């Protein structure tokens, strides 16, 4: 990996920004260059929210991701907006519980689905669809290994809240194994 | 702290200010700099400092004047419309020859404008948003690390020259997270015998004032200040050069525009176009000499800015209009893509790819 540009998009409240933070933080723990840029303003109060993450072994130029190597789509408008704007050799992972599409893998992009929101409610992991889809995305993109993300997550989630860490890890694992 | 941490620009600069010895913050909320105030509200009481949300921006800047007059490090932060409100106070700080740090995390304007990133307060920051003959030290970070480093630098230069300094950021710098080293940095101390700290230790009294009804005296004051500005122009210009050794085209950009430009330069280099960048870190004092020198070799300049073309004036002045200067810009909160900058580079190269 020299540079991986990631765009995570969905509704405000789905944990889009936190997913991005987990990726950026994982990069930090591996001594990579990283940048994390959120959308801010009215959209984070209920509308669409997205976040650009770049992980690189070199210094990062623009932190704005317009042609992602990895697109994580968590709602229909985000998928429709960005699915045709990914880079060559890119990966799209989308929440099939919330998004319906005819869009298929082609020469340029590999598309993966995971019903993250349904898996979250089926497994008593309310609000953790973001971690489920993140697990799947990390696995399919190979941007990090499973252990790298888990180790970072352990450092990121406060040790004062072990039950929170446990649930996040469980959700990530669910995504990895899907 | 010797380990890198992941922090938002707004929070990193707030932490840096505290580490630089600032114990007095006065602010008023506005997007996209609200995290500065939120961080200060949480942190200042823990370090024995003062966080005060004033009833208005005008009030906040006047509180800064009060603390600065005592020789203590004071700061305020806002975004574009709020800086307009603070401009009267900034002029008074300059007139009173007081050091202070003002942070502007710019958003699109004019008027209430929008909340997305912008660089359209370049004129306001470098040409004087308030009235009178004065300058500010203006520092333009292009990474979260520089938000920290230039906060230290801002307090330092403000005290060195007894003038207000401004950290001129944009929404992306404030909102983005990057790994950052919160190094303590060296805190220099300067003579503050001018400070109004009571008459306990000396005869007479110190007066901090910008009023003189005697024009002969006021002229002397203005010259005295400009003598110091001249020293700053000689000694404290900061800039970064990127691939300028063999460059035939020179991009001039600061803040987020310089980050986007870097991508475009790399794309252009891959096509064999010899392009480089001079990135002003101090917008005032502006890096005139290095630009003038570059104009001897370069055939064209491109000013890349998030406004309708403001810094471009200073580029033209610096190179004495000896070469064409093109403008590559977006405004209103929009950010140019690397492809748009690349198109400008190709145009400046005479259309040759």
């Amino acid at each position: 990996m020299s540079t991986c540009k990631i765009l995570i998009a969905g509704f405000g409240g789905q944990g889009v920004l936190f997913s991005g933070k987990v990726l950026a933080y994982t990069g930090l723990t591996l001594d990579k260059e990283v940048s994390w840029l959120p959308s801010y303003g009215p959209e984070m109060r209920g509308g669409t929210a997205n976040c650009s993450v770049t992980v690189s072994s070199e210094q990062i130029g623009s932190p704005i991701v317009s042609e992602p190597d990895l697109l994580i789509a968590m709602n229909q408008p985000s998928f429709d907006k960005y699915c045709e704007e990914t880079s060559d050799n890119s990966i799209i992972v989308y929440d099939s519980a919330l998004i319906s599409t005819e869009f298929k893998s082609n020469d340029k992009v590999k598309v993966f689905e995971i019903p993250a929101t349904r898996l979250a409610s089926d497994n008593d992991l309310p609000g953790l669809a973001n971690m489920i889809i993140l697990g799947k995305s990390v696995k399919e993109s190979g941007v990090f290994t499973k252990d790298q993300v888990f180790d970072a997550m352990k450092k990121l989630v406060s040790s004062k809240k072990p039950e929170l860490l446990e649930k996040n890890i469980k959700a990530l694992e669910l995504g990895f194994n899907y | 702290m010797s380990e890198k941490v992941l922090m938002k620009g707004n929070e990193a600069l707030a932490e840096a200010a505290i580490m630089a010895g600032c114990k007095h913050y006065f602010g008023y909320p506005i997007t996209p700099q609200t995290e500065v105030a939120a961080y200060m509200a949480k942190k200042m009481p823990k370090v024995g400092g003062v966080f005060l949300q004033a009833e208005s921006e005008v009030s906040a800047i006047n509180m800064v004047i009060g603390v600065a007059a005592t020789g203590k490090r004071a700061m305020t932060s806002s975004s574009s419309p709020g800086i307009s409100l603070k401009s009267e106070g900034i002029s008074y700080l300059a007139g009173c020859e007081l050091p202070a740090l003002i942070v502007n995390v710019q958003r699109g304007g004019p008027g209430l404008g929008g909340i997305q990133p912008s660089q359209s307060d370049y004129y306001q920051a470098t040409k004087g948003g308030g009235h009178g003959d004065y300058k500010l030290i203006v520092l333009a970070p292009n990474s979260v690390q520089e938000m920290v480093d230039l906060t230290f630098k801002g307090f330092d230069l403000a005290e060195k020259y007894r003038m207000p300094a401004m950290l001129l950021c944009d929404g992306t710098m404030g909102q983005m997270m990057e790994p950052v080293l919160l190094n303590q940095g060296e805190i220099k101390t300067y003579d503050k015998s001018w400070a109004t700290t009571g008459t306990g230790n000396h005869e007479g009294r110190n007066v901090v004032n910008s009023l003189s009804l005697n024009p002969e005296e006021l002229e002397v004051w203005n010259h005295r200040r400009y003598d110091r500005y001249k020293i700053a122009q000689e000694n404290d210009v900061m800039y970064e050069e990127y691939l300028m050794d063999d460059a035939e085209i020179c991009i001039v950009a600061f803040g987020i525009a310089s980050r986007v430009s870097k991508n475009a330069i790399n794309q252009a280099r891959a096509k064999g176009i010899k392009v480089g960048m001079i990135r002003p870190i101090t917008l005032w004092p502006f890096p005139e000499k290095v630009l003038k020198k570059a104009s001897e070799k370069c055939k064209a300049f491109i000013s890349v800015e998030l406004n309708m073309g403001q810094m471009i004036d200073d580029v033209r002045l610096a190179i004495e209009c000896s070469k064409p200067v093109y403008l590559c810009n977006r405004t209103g909160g929009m950010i140019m893509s690397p492809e748009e900058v690349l198109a400008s580079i190709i145009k400046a190269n005479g259309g040759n790819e």
Side-chain angles (χ1 to χ4, degrees):
Chain A
M1 175 191 66
S2 54
T3 299
C4 185
K5 292 177 290 172
I6 304 157
L7 187 66
I8 310 172
F11 289 121
Q14 278 182 313
V16 161
L17 301 187
F18 185 71
S19 294
K21 193 173 172 183
V22 172
L23 290 174
Y25 192 78
T26 307
L28 171 75
T29 61
L30 300 170
D31 224 13
K32 300 277 185 194
E33 298 288 335
V34 298
S35 66
W36 174 97
L37 180 68
S39 56
Y40 61 88
E43 61 267 61
M44 68 192 241
R45 295 172 180 93
T48 59
N50 66 64
C51 125
S52 293
V53 177
T54 305
V55 183
S56 181
S57 41
E58 292 150 27
Q59 211 186 10
I60 295 166
S62 173
I64 302 154
V65 173
S66 49
E67 290 185 353
D69 303 314
L70 168 61
L71 169 66
I72 304 176
M74 294 190 68
N75 69 2
Q76 191 77 46
S78 303
F79 185 90
D80 295 344
K81 186 173 175 191
Y82 298 116
C83 69
E84 306 219 20
E85 291 180 7
T86 58
S87 69
D88 295 343
N89 285 321
S90 55
I91 284 171
I92 298 177
V93 181
Y94 70 93
D95 186 343
S96 54
L98 301 175
I99 297 164
S100 61
T101 178
E102 302 287 305
F103 194 85
K104 294 271 187 316
S105 295
N106 56 45
D107 293 349
K108 198 182 122 179
V109 54
K110 281 190 199 139
V111 183
F112 299 91
E113 59 87 27
I114 178 169
T117 302
R118 204 188 68 228
L119 287 170
S121 55
D122 287 355
N123 290 277
D124 193 27
L125 295 166
L128 287 174
N130 63 333
M131 290 298 109
I132 295 173
I133 200 168
L134 186 68
K136 175 76 174 167
S137 304
V138 170
K139 181 177 127 191
E140 301 302 346
S141 66
V143 56
F144 299 120
T145 68
K146 184 169 141 179
D147 287 345
Q148 287 169 343
V149 180
F150 280 29
D151 288 349
M153 184 62 110
K154 283 169 196 160
K155 287 182 195 161
L156 189 59
V157 178
S158 167
S159 57
K160 287 175 204 150
K161 295 174 182 167
E163 71 287 355
L164 208 61
L165 176 64
E166 197 186 317
K167 287 202 163 184
N168 275 284
I169 293 282
K170 193 179 160 193
L172 275 171
E173 189 96 50
L174 207 61
F176 267 106
N177 297 335
Y178 181 78
Chain B
M1 259 183 263
S2 59
E3 242 180 55
K4 279 191 177 180
V5 291
L6 195 62
M7 260 179 131
K8 268 194 170 194
N10 282 338
E11 295 176 341
L13 86 85
E15 179 61 35
I18 293 171
M19 289 173 86
C22 173
K23 293 280 177 67
H24 299 85
Y25 172 90
F26 308 98
Y28 190 82
I30 181 169
T31 305
Q33 68 76 53
T34 301
E35 292 87 356
V36 181
Y39 194 91
M40 290 299 194
K42 199 167 69 181
K43 211 64 189 286
M44 276 298 192
K46 292 181 185 162
V47 296
V50 174
F51 160 83
L52 203 154
Q53 181 173 317
E55 68 271 32
S56 72
E57 285 87 349
V58 176
S59 206
I61 192 71
N62 280 286
M63 291 173 184
V64 168
I65 297 174
V67 171
T70 71
K72 298 270 194 297
R73 289 192 165 184
M75 78 177 274
T76 186
S77 63
S78 191
S79 181
S80 309
I83 297 295
S84 292
L85 288 164
K86 290 181 205 280
S87 291
E88 181 199 48
I90 294 170
S91 171
Y92 277 63
L93 279 166
C96 296
E97 308 190 323
L98 291 174
L101 184 69
I102 300 125
V103 178
N104 182 1
V105 185
Q106 298 167 89
R107 52 189 258 178
L112 206 47
I115 59 169
Q116 297 304 320
S118 170
Q119 298 179 328
S120 54
D121 304 344
Y122 178 89
Y123 280 153
Q124 185 190 49
T126 60
K127 311 296 174 197
H131 58 280
D133 281 320
Y134 78 92
K135 293 287 179 192
L136 303 176
I137 298 280
V138 183
L139 301 159
N142 88 337
S143 66
V144 175
Q145 186 63 56
E146 278 195 356
M147 294 284 261
V148 169
D149 298 345
L150 296 180
T151 295
F152 277 92
K153 194 77 189 172
F155 278 115
D156 179 64
L157 293 180
E159 290 188 350
K160 184 176 177 183
Y161 295 110
R162 279 184 66 185
M163 63 191 285
M166 178 176 281
L167 198 64
L168 191 70
C169 326
D170 61 70
T172 53
M173 289 302 130
Q175 295 295 324
M176 74 189 283
M177 282 202 284
E178 285 183 322
V180 58
L181 199 59
L182 291 164
N183 49 343
Q184 184 74 47
E186 186 194 355
I187 301 173
K188 291 182 197 153
T189 48
Y190 295 96
D191 169 52
K192 286 184 183 163
S193 55
W194 48 265
T196 51
T197 51
T199 54
N201 299 325
H202 56 80
E203 287 182 13
R205 58 191 180 136
N206 287 342
V207 178
V208 169
N209 177 33
S210 66
L211 173 72
S212 172
L213 297 177
N214 174 353
E216 285 86 358
E217 181 183 54
L218 189 53
E219 186 179 47
V220 169
W221 288 3
N222 281 334
H223 277 289
R224 186 177 63 196
R225 217 170 40 252
Y226 271 71
D227 288 345
R228 287 207 302 270
Y229 293 166
K230 207 171 168 191
I231 300 170
Q233 284 172 303
E234 287 298 321
N235 298 310
D236 283 295
V237 173
M238 294 167 71
Y239 59 87
E240 181 196 21
E241 287 182 286
Y242 182 63
L243 303 179
M244 281 302 293
D245 282 349
D246 63 344
E248 294 170 358
I249 296 166
C250 174
I251 284 183
V252 188
F254 65 96
I256 184 66
S258 69
R259 300 275 296 251
V260 176
S261 296
K262 203 169 181 179
N263 286 28
I265 289 167
N266 293 341
Q267 290 172 22
R269 284 271 171 180
K271 290 173 180 288
I273 303 173
K274 289 181 176 167
V275 55
M277 175 164 61
I278 294 173
R279 171 173 75 92
I281 297 172
T282 49
L283 296 176
W284 196 94
F286 195 67
E288 292 166 355
K289 283 180 189 163
V290 67
L291 282 166
K292 178 84 175 95
K293 194 155 173 284
S295 69
E296 291 163 14
K297 296 189 309 176
C298 296
K299 61 181 178 186
F301 288 74
I302 307 170
S303 189
V304 184
E305 314 178 52
L306 301 187
N307 56 50
M308 290 304 290
Q310 300 189 11
M311 181 178 66
I312 192 171
D313 292 355
D314 286 333
V315 176
R316 287 192 178 118
L317 282 171
I319 66 165
E320 295 168 8
C321 295
S322 57
K323 298 289 163 66
V325 185
Y326 300 94
L327 177 66
C328 175
N329 70 318
R330 293 297 296 267
T331 177
M334 297 300 291
I335 300 178
M336 67 281 292
S337 66
E339 289 69 29
E340 286 172 271
V341 182
L342 180 63
S344 287
I345 294 171
I346 292 167
K347 189 179 149 203
N349 198 37
N352 303 318
E353 290 195 32

